[in-house]
PDB file of all heavy atoms in Angstrom:
ATOM      1  N   PRO A 742      -1.495   9.542  14.773  1.00  0.00           N
ATOM      2  CA  PRO A 742      -1.517   9.477  16.196  1.00  0.00           C
ATOM      3  C   PRO A 742      -2.885   9.861  16.828  1.00  0.00           C
ATOM      4  O   PRO A 742      -3.622  10.572  16.330  1.00  0.00           O
ATOM      5  CB  PRO A 742      -0.386  10.617  16.538  1.00  0.00           C
ATOM      6  CG  PRO A 742       0.409  10.601  15.218  1.00  0.00           C
ATOM      7  CD  PRO A 742      -0.443  10.347  14.117  1.00  0.00           C
ATOM      8  N   THR A 743      -2.965   9.383  18.042  1.00  0.00           N
ATOM      9  CA  THR A 743      -4.237   9.685  18.745  1.00  0.00           C
ATOM     10  C   THR A 743      -4.204  11.260  18.988  1.00  0.00           C
ATOM     11  O   THR A 743      -3.254  11.868  19.352  1.00  0.00           O
ATOM     12  CB  THR A 743      -4.279   9.043  20.140  1.00  0.00           C
ATOM     13  OG1 THR A 743      -3.994   7.594  19.917  1.00  0.00           O
ATOM     14  CG2 THR A 743      -5.407   9.240  20.875  1.00  0.00           C
ATOM     15  N   GLY A 744      -5.405  11.768  18.785  1.00  0.00           N
ATOM     16  CA  GLY A 744      -5.609  13.238  18.998  1.00  0.00           C
ATOM     17  C   GLY A 744      -5.301  14.049  17.767  1.00  0.00           C
ATOM     18  O   GLY A 744      -5.386  15.340  17.844  1.00  0.00           O
ATOM     19  N   SER A 745      -5.119  13.364  16.631  1.00  0.00           N
ATOM     20  CA  SER A 745      -4.813  14.226  15.436  1.00  0.00           C
ATOM     21  C   SER A 745      -5.800  14.321  14.333  1.00  0.00           C
ATOM     22  O   SER A 745      -5.713  14.822  13.278  1.00  0.00           O
ATOM     23  CB  SER A 745      -3.470  13.763  14.746  1.00  0.00           C
ATOM     24  OG  SER A 745      -3.463  12.320  14.502  1.00  0.00           O
ATOM     25  N   LEU A 746      -6.948  13.515  14.629  1.00  0.00           N
ATOM     26  CA  LEU A 746      -8.016  13.543  13.543  1.00  0.00           C
ATOM     27  C   LEU A 746      -8.495  14.933  13.250  1.00  0.00           C
ATOM     28  O   LEU A 746      -8.738  15.103  11.970  1.00  0.00           O
ATOM     29  CB  LEU A 746      -9.103  12.630  14.019  1.00  0.00           C
ATOM     30  CG  LEU A 746      -9.814  11.811  12.919  1.00  0.00           C
ATOM     31  CD1 LEU A 746      -8.828  10.827  12.282  1.00  0.00           C
ATOM     32  CD2 LEU A 746     -10.933  11.011  13.499  1.00  0.00           C
ATOM     33  N   ALA A 747      -8.622  15.785  14.160  1.00  0.00           N
ATOM     34  CA  ALA A 747      -9.154  17.170  13.841  1.00  0.00           C
ATOM     35  C   ALA A 747      -8.159  17.903  12.813  1.00  0.00           C
ATOM     36  O   ALA A 747      -8.626  18.733  11.996  1.00  0.00           O
ATOM     37  CB  ALA A 747      -9.355  17.956  15.091  1.00  0.00           C
ATOM     38  N   PHE A 748      -6.893  17.672  13.148  1.00  0.00           N
ATOM     39  CA  PHE A 748      -5.891  18.200  12.228  1.00  0.00           C
ATOM     40  C   PHE A 748      -6.163  17.751  10.868  1.00  0.00           C
ATOM     41  O   PHE A 748      -6.078  18.533   9.834  1.00  0.00           O
ATOM     42  CB  PHE A 748      -4.471  17.892  12.540  1.00  0.00           C
ATOM     43  CG  PHE A 748      -3.303  18.262  11.657  1.00  0.00           C
ATOM     44  CD1 PHE A 748      -2.736  19.338  11.732  1.00  0.00           C
ATOM     45  CD2 PHE A 748      -3.024  17.249  10.596  1.00  0.00           C
ATOM     46  CE1 PHE A 748      -1.793  19.736  10.940  1.00  0.00           C
ATOM     47  CE2 PHE A 748      -1.923  17.565   9.732  1.00  0.00           C
ATOM     48  CZ  PHE A 748      -1.404  18.783   9.870  1.00  0.00           C
ATOM     49  N   TRP A 749      -6.459  16.546  10.591  1.00  0.00           N
ATOM     50  CA  TRP A 749      -6.681  15.982   9.254  1.00  0.00           C
ATOM     51  C   TRP A 749      -7.936  16.427   8.625  1.00  0.00           C
ATOM     52  O   TRP A 749      -8.055  16.514   7.338  1.00  0.00           O
ATOM     53  CB  TRP A 749      -6.511  14.381   9.308  1.00  0.00           C
ATOM     54  CG  TRP A 749      -5.017  13.994   9.406  1.00  0.00           C
ATOM     55  CD1 TRP A 749      -4.331  13.729  10.471  1.00  0.00           C
ATOM     56  CD2 TRP A 749      -4.095  14.081   8.239  1.00  0.00           C
ATOM     57  NE1 TRP A 749      -3.000  13.594  10.136  1.00  0.00           N
ATOM     58  CE2 TRP A 749      -2.816  13.717   8.888  1.00  0.00           C
ATOM     59  CE3 TRP A 749      -4.187  14.381   6.871  1.00  0.00           C
ATOM     60  CZ2 TRP A 749      -1.628  13.694   8.032  1.00  0.00           C
ATOM     61  CZ3 TRP A 749      -3.074  14.269   6.155  1.00  0.00           C
ATOM     62  CH2 TRP A 749      -1.852  13.991   6.675  1.00  0.00           C
ATOM     63  N   GLU A 750      -8.978  16.628   9.500  1.00  0.00           N
ATOM     64  CA  GLU A 750     -10.249  17.178   8.934  1.00  0.00           C
ATOM     65  C   GLU A 750      -9.987  18.498   8.352  1.00  0.00           C
ATOM     66  O   GLU A 750     -10.434  18.857   7.226  1.00  0.00           O
ATOM     67  CB  GLU A 750     -11.204  17.141   9.995  1.00  0.00           C
ATOM     68  CG  GLU A 750     -11.899  15.953  10.502  1.00  0.00           C
ATOM     69  CD  GLU A 750     -13.070  16.174  11.445  1.00  0.00           C
ATOM     70  OE1 GLU A 750     -14.124  16.547  10.901  1.00  0.00           O
ATOM     71  OE2 GLU A 750     -12.908  15.857  12.634  1.00  0.00           O
ATOM     72  N   GLU A 751      -9.239  19.325   9.068  1.00  0.00           N
ATOM     73  CA  GLU A 751      -8.955  20.585   8.654  1.00  0.00           C
ATOM     74  C   GLU A 751      -8.128  20.668   7.286  1.00  0.00           C
ATOM     75  O   GLU A 751      -8.343  21.431   6.449  1.00  0.00           O
ATOM     76  CB  GLU A 751      -8.324  21.430   9.721  1.00  0.00           C
ATOM     77  CG  GLU A 751      -8.054  22.946   9.385  1.00  0.00           C
ATOM     78  CD  GLU A 751      -6.774  23.203   8.582  1.00  0.00           C
ATOM     79  OE1 GLU A 751      -5.811  22.405   8.678  1.00  0.00           O
ATOM     80  OE2 GLU A 751      -6.811  24.187   7.749  1.00  0.00           O
ATOM     81  N   ARG A 752      -7.137  19.763   7.291  1.00  0.00           N
ATOM     82  CA  ARG A 752      -6.226  19.725   6.181  1.00  0.00           C
ATOM     83  C   ARG A 752      -6.921  19.194   4.949  1.00  0.00           C
ATOM     84  O   ARG A 752      -6.731  19.738   3.843  1.00  0.00           O
ATOM     85  CB  ARG A 752      -5.025  18.700   6.504  1.00  0.00           C
ATOM     86  CG  ARG A 752      -3.966  18.835   5.373  1.00  0.00           C
ATOM     87  CD  ARG A 752      -2.728  18.156   5.747  1.00  0.00           C
ATOM     88  NE  ARG A 752      -1.740  18.049   4.841  1.00  0.00           N
ATOM     89  CZ  ARG A 752      -0.838  19.093   4.576  1.00  0.00           C
ATOM     90  NH1 ARG A 752      -0.940  20.080   5.353  1.00  0.00           N
ATOM     91  NH2 ARG A 752      -0.082  18.981   3.540  1.00  0.00           N
ATOM     92  N   LEU A 753      -7.703  18.172   5.005  1.00  0.00           N
ATOM     93  CA  LEU A 753      -8.616  17.722   3.914  1.00  0.00           C
ATOM     94  C   LEU A 753      -9.477  18.761   3.363  1.00  0.00           C
ATOM     95  O   LEU A 753      -9.563  19.073   2.115  1.00  0.00           O
ATOM     96  CB  LEU A 753      -9.360  16.483   4.259  1.00  0.00           C
ATOM     97  CG  LEU A 753      -8.512  15.216   4.488  1.00  0.00           C
ATOM     98  CD1 LEU A 753      -9.399  14.081   5.026  1.00  0.00           C
ATOM     99  CD2 LEU A 753      -7.721  14.767   3.446  1.00  0.00           C
TER     100      LEU A 753
END
Side-chain angles (χ1 to χ4, degrees):
T743 303
S745 58
L746 214 58
F748 170 89
W749 283 98
E750 287 190 73
E751 186 278 330
R752 187 169 180 86
L753 293 175

